[in-house]
Amino acid sequence: MSGAPVDPRLDRYRPLTRALQWALVACVALSGAAVVLPDPIGRWVGVAVVALLVGAPVARVLWLVARWFRRGDTRFALVGCGVLAVIAAGVVLAVLGV
């Protein structure tokens, strides 16, 4: 008895999962460093942790939007663009101090 046939689409999300795994490892390492390092350096490492925690999901949405547009699934791609627009609006409001 042989196993199920190999799905050729099995590895399609591998780059995304690898990137998110590396982002997780980097967040853990940088968080530990931010706690241990002295104030000016530790503070900047903490800022890098927050930037990575915000940037990784945004990069994930960007990757998915590009993939959906490339594959012709415009409905999902437009929803992803809407999510990115909401994030951009939040950044603009935060910068303006509203």
Side-chain angles (χ1 to χ4, degrees):
M1 178 187 320
S2 91
V6 177
D7 186 3
R9 299 174 299 170
L10 188 64
D11 292 334
R12 63 184 168 180
Y13 291 110
R14 182 137 323 179
L16 178 63
T17 56
R18 284 260 165 81
L20 292 175
Q21 286 172 347
W22 279 106
L24 174 66
V25 169
C27 278
V28 170
L30 288 173
S31 297
V35 171
V36 174
L37 291 172
D39 188 28
I41 298 170
R43 184 180 308 248
W44 284 108
V45 173
V47 169
V49 170
V50 172
L52 188 57
L53 284 172
V54 171
V58 171
R60 175 183 169 194
V61 173
L62 283 169
W63 187 84
L64 288 170
V65 165
R67 184 175 187 280
W68 288 328
F69 270 127
R70 200 172 45 248
R71 294 183 57 91
D73 196 351
T74 55
R75 289 182 297 168
F76 282 111
L78 290 175
V79 169
C81 288
V83 169
L84 293 173
V86 168
I87 293 169
V91 169
V92 168
L93 289 176
V95 168
L96 293 177
V98 176

